[in-house]
Amino acid sequence: MPLYVLNDAKASAFAQLWFRWQEPAVQNMAYVLAGQGVGCGMVAGGKLVLGQRGIAGEFGHSSIKFDGPLCECGNRGCLEKYCSLSALRAEILRLLRTRRNSCLKDDDLSNASIAHAVQNGDPVAVQAYEKVCELLAAGVISLVNQLNPGLIVLGMNW
């Protein structure tokens, strides 16, 4: 039996295709997964898009600011430098250093504490979360213009 290894975004897109195959929109879709990075699994014509070397969908490495921070991929200003979990933590730390009132502490920015703070309306957590989500939305709009998908599914791995 063949064995395929996929990253989390591609596997999530394939799962959507597998379980929702009867829905026409799923035949041309994108699954955007935001977490440590920002990935994308793409389906075109009912098939998972892998690209020539299997790395299609590295959506988080789309440069949105050419003079931005250096990314691990070697580019500058990649989308994931602005809307990943590490970007969210960095923005929270920046806001905490301005002495803003928050239940968050700079030595405890776990996923659970951030999620709890956002859900409870903590001003620092909400402001940082909204900023990260706005930037992710801008990237998704670009993706819509490039791929014209019938469906976009957003997944959060936070």
Side-chain angles (χ1 to χ4, degrees), residues 22-95:
Q22 293 178 319
E23 297 176 35
V26 175
Q27 301 304 308
N28 294 289
M29 66 158 286
Y31 188 102
V32 176
L33 183 62
Q36 279 306 115
V38 179
C40 181
M42 299 176 293
V43 174
K47 296 185 187 285
L48 188 64
V49 176
L50 299 174
Q52 185 65 31
R53 293 184 293 143
I55 60 170
E58 290 298 324
F59 175 58
H61 294 294
S62 301
S63 182
I64 61 170
K65 189 169 171 67
F66 296 110
D67 60 348
L70 184 63
C71 183
E72 292 77 20
C73 73
N75 288 336
R76 291 195 167 275
C78 287
L79 183 65
E80 72 179 40
K81 291 306 234 178
Y82 299 95
C83 55
S84 62
L85 185 54
S86 58
L88 176 62
R89 283 194 178 102
E91 181 63 12
I92 289 170
L93 283 171
R94 187 187 72 74
L95 292 171

